[in-house]
Amino acid sequence: MINDRVGLPPRDAYKALLNGKFTPNHTRQVSFGFTSNEVWIALSIRVPTLPLSPTGFNANGDVTLPGVARVLKIDNAWLDTIDIFFFASGELVRKASIGDTQTIGNRIYNSRMPALEHHFPPGITEVLIRVVSADPMTIPVYIGTPAQMEKQALVNAYFYGALYGALIILFVYNVMLFFYLKERRYILYSLYLLAFLLFNFTYTGHGYWWVWGNVPYVQQWLMPALMFCYISAGVTFTISYLDAKVYLPRLYALRSSIYAGLSVLAAIMLVYGSQAFAVMAQLVILTTLSIWMLLIGFFAYKNGNVLAKFFVPAIALGTGGATISSLATWGVIPYSQWAFRGIEIGILCEMSLLSISLGFNFKQVQEAKVSAETSARIDPLTNLYNRRAFTQLVHPLWELGKRNQQSMAVLLIDLDWFKQINDDFGHHVGDKVLEMVAQRIKARVRSSDLLFRWGGEEFLVFLSNADINEALSLAETLRREVAQMIVLKSVKVTMSLGVASSLASNITLEGLIKQADEALYMAKNGGRNCVVAAPMPPTPKH
Ligand SMILES: Nc1nc2c(ncn2[C@@H]2O[C@H](COP(=O)(O)OP(=O)(O)OP(=O)(O)O)[C@@H](O)[C@H]2O)c(=O)[nH]1
């Protein structure tokens, strides 16, 4: 390999090769970083002088030419210009151009990655490859039989099918969760995922191969543009996912500056118009972004964010995969297709883990919702239903009871001289009295009856299937039991009860409660610590 500053003509490059000016690539490094220079790569292909088949015929009965046919493939879809020169016996025998400045229709070999087929005659053929590109010079060269190349393409097709399939499923699932839950972080995660998917679809040459193969300009500019989208989506998602407003307030305050910085970068890219600058600047940002995400994930975790427990390992997996890919391309670890795909496997793990964490978040949100709904209906002091729960719980029973012509009853209960208890013993003792009275009533009513804390020292019992006598009997039992209670060794409490029943009247639920309230008023006026039944309405005459 040589890094050529002057733009050698192919023959001079060939001479340089013969004069030992090329550096041998012992480490199998395939990455040469950013350079606007031409990078020359040389391969020596030696074919035995014997013809392939000693008979001169192959299995199909065709005449075999002496020599071998091989496919040469550069496994990178973003290199702009790739010129290949074949020298045999000191002569330039073939020149071919591949690379992504060529439209798909003009390609000489039908494959997603730039490739060509060449018939190598017996003897030595020197293959010189010249690459010029604004993108990182990653140049993995493969050479093999057409069958081997097809097999490799098939393995790749399965791999990307599985990768894109998995990412699309995660995308759709999270978009659906967003529409269901209306939580921003689901849609931001989906956009982050989509940005990676499109970015990958572009830089692996799938987009060029399937969609915009006739517009090389789109292919070259989409890469930096989508990388930019991926970075922006990553930043926005991280801020929202880690709930920066709560767990990282200082970062949250800076978020406008971060977004402004990204916009300035996009503007410079557009105005400056250099693809090389765009790619280089963003690769730097992409690396910084991973470290930044890891760091703030860690801080959010330290500040008590439960979701950061998933976030940090997820980003570590994505970054780890990307590191394996770069180490392999730089020859630090042995290069292989799988090592090169480290970034994709890492990101798939990252995305899956993030998706699981959002599922976990979904569960948390649901639980919080249920607990909020429950606590909205429960009185925290007595643990009884509050007045708010009344309509929700009693109305359906009331309607059903009416239809079945059942007798239903209401007991309205008010503690006597409760203000005095508070004044004499303190508010906390008053609370204890309320708690104990509530427990006592609860223990006595049937499970089909509903008990509410109706107001400060007022309770309501709804009996869904009881006539006036049953209701009065229960009321009297409750009155007696509470009157016998002694709270905190010295406090005695009594209560007054108003009872009303619905049978044989066209009364509404509100009307029934009003009747019970009037009965309670009578009980209070009648000296307290007693039960009064609301007067029964006259039976309609037929
Ligand atoms: N400790 C405590 N007191 C409460 C609570 N809710 C309401 N109260 C008190 O209950 C008292 C009710 O007083 P009143 O409406 O005058 O009734 P009362 O003293 O029971 O007199 P009668 O109902 O006429 O027998 C008020 O002093 C309220 O402050 C509570 O949750 N805890």
Side-chain angles (χ1 to χ4, degrees):
M1 177 284 239
I2 54 170
N3 212 330
D4 167 21
R5 268 174 249 273
V6 290
L8 286 176
R11 263 176 213 295
D12 292 356
Y14 180 60
K15 270 188 213 142
L17 173 69
L18 296 184
N19 294 334
K21 297 266 167 53
F22 275 58
T23 318
N25 188 0
H26 295 303
T27 55
R28 302 185 70 209
Q29 168 191 351
V30 295
S31 235
F32 305 99
F34 280 98
T35 173
S36 52
N37 297 341
E38 298 179 352
V39 169
W40 282 92
I41 289 170
L43 308 168
S44 266
I45 310 290
R46 183 191 301 271
V47 177
T49 38
L50 282 175
L52 266 189
S53 154
T55 60
F57 297 95
N58 65 15
N60 297 330
D62 301 327
V63 177
T64 56
L65 289 170
V68 292
R70 290 288 182 268
V71 174
L72 192 142
K73 182 175 83 171
I74 314 279
D75 203 21
N76 182 343
W78 66 62
L79 298 170
D80 299 337
T81 309
I82 306 169
D83 297 319
I84 307 189
F85 306 92
F86 295 87
F87 287 88
S89 315
E91 289 301 318
L92 176 64
V93 291
R94 185 181 175 195
K95 173 184 181 247
S97 285
I98 50 182
D100 75 1
T101 40
Q102 273 190 332
T103 60
I104 290 286
N106 282 338
R107 284 199 169 168
I108 46 179
Y109 191 80
N110 193 21
S111 79
R112 177 168 56 90
M113 294 298 185
L116 55 73
E117 187 170 345
H118 186 74
H119 186 90
F120 290 90
I124 293 178
T125 301
E126 299 288 359
V127 183
L128 273 91
I129 305 171
R130 176 173 61 192
V131 184
V132 189
S133 187
D135 310 287
M137 289 284 200
T138 303
I139 317 172
V141 183
Y142 284 85
I143 189 152
T145 62
Q148 282 171 328
M149 288 301 163
E150 253 170 50
K151 195 173 158 206
Q152 200 189 53
L154 197 66
V155 171
N156 274 329
Y158 275 113
F159 174 78
Y160 283 107
L163 178 74
Y164 294 154
L167 292 179
I168 288 170
I169 289 170
L170 290 179
F171 174 76
V172 172
Y173 168 68
N174 281 282
V175 168
M176 276 164 47
L177 278 183
F178 168 72
F179 282 112
Y180 178 56
L181 293 174
K182 301 277 178 300
E183 250 211 73
R184 241 166 81 85
R185 56 175 76 162
Y186 290 94
I187 198 69
L188 291 177
Y189 167 74
S190 306
L191 290 176
Y192 176 48
L193 207 145
L194 184 68
F196 173 76
L197 186 67
L198 293 177
F199 176 42
N200 185 279
F201 190 69
T202 305
Y203 82 69
T204 52
H206 286 94
Y208 198 41
W209 177 247
W210 291 110
V211 191
W212 51 84
N214 287 324
V215 214
Y217 191 72
V218 169
Q219 171 68 8
Q220 279 150 34
W221 269 103
L222 258 187
M223 229 180 83
L226 285 172
M227 204 193 295
F228 179 77
C229 294
Y230 178 56
I231 291 169
S232 308
V235 171
T236 321
F237 165 68
T238 304
I239 290 176
S240 155
Y241 176 94
L242 291 176
D243 208 350
K245 196 174 180 179
V246 177
Y247 295 99
L248 303 155
R250 265 192 291 172
L251 172 87
Y252 190 74
L254 280 178
R255 75 195 184 289
S256 318
S257 319
I258 297 174
Y259 295 138
L262 285 172
S263 312
V264 168
L265 180 81
I268 294 176
M269 242 171 69
L270 278 177
V271 174
Y272 192 55
S274 157
Q275 186 202 347
F277 168 77
V279 176
M280 210 179 327
Q282 295 197 54
L283 271 183
V284 173
I285 297 174
L286 203 59
T287 317
T288 321
L289 177 74
S290 308
I291 299 166
W292 176 79
M293 280 168 117
L294 269 178
L295 274 178
I296 71 159
F298 179 71
F299 284 125
Y301 176 66
K302 270 187 70 178
N303 292 350
N305 185 331
V306 189
L307 281 187
K309 244 195 302 194
F310 294 91
F311 185 81
V312 174
I315 302 299
L317 280 169
T319 315
T323 311
I324 291 177
S325 289
S326 12
L327 291 180
T329 58
W330 285 98
V332 180
I333 58 171
Y335 182 87
S336 73
Q337 282 262 320
W338 289 105
F340 191 51
R341 285 179 191 143
I343 182 162
E344 283 145 350
I345 298 168
I347 293 276
L348 183 61
C349 296
E350 173 187 322
M351 294 293 182
S352 309
L353 200 54
L354 287 176
S355 197
I356 291 171
S357 75
L358 285 174
F360 171 79
N361 174 58
F362 171 65
K363 193 171 153 234
Q364 272 192 325
V365 170
Q366 287 300 91
E367 280 172 4
K369 225 165 139 186
V370 170
S371 118
E373 270 166 21
T374 313
S375 56
R377 299 193 314 178
I378 299 285
D379 167 54
L381 177 69
T382 57
N383 250 332
L384 301 183
Y385 287 122
N386 57 22
R387 204 165 176 151
R388 216 187 197 168
F390 183 78
T391 318
Q392 221 179 8
L393 296 174
V394 172
H395 264 275
L397 291 178
W398 176 259
E399 292 304 324
L400 190 73
K402 278 264 154 193
R403 207 178 314 142
N404 296 341
Q405 296 190 322
Q406 259 164 235
S407 174
M408 293 169 280
V410 161
L411 271 59
L412 210 53
I413 306 168
D414 191 286
L415 303 193
D416 297 329
W417 311 119
F418 190 62
K419 184 174 180 305
Q420 203 58 50
I421 295 178
N422 270 337
D423 292 349
D424 292 350
F425 303 97
H427 209 264
H428 67 284
V429 174
D431 281 355
K432 190 73 201 161
V433 170
L434 285 169
E435 250 183 280
M436 291 198 57
V437 170
Q439 275 173 23
R440 184 54 60 96
I441 303 175
K442 200 172 181 177
R444 189 46 75 192
V445 299
R446 289 174 301 188
S447 57
S448 56
D449 301 332
L450 289 167
L451 171 59
F452 300 86
R453 184 172 179 198
W454 198 241
E457 20 70 273
E458 240 185 329
F459 300 93
L460 183 147
V461 186
F462 178 79
L463 309 173
S464 56
N465 193 2
D467 61 22
I468 188 72
N469 292 330
E470 287 167 315
L472 281 173
S473 152
L474 172 67
E476 184 51 31
T477 311
L478 293 176
R479 186 201 63 77
R480 208 176 335 106
E481 285 194 3
V482 168
Q484 285 164 1
M485 244 169 60
I486 299 173
V487 181
L488 298 175
K489 293 191 181 144
S490 58
V491 187
K492 294 203 71 172
V493 62
T494 60
M495 54 194 204
S496 306
L497 299 95
V499 180
S501 142
S502 72
L503 192 66
S505 66
N506 248 343
I507 200 164
T508 60
L509 180 57
E510 291 69 30
L512 188 69
I513 295 168
K514 192 160 174 277
Q515 281 193 358
D517 197 34
E518 284 163 7
L520 173 63
Y521 184 74
M522 286 192 267
K524 288 279 178 186
N525 277 346
R528 297 178 171 80
N529 191 16
C530 61
V531 175
V532 172
M536 294 293 277
T539 322
K541 293 191 177 74
H542 296 287

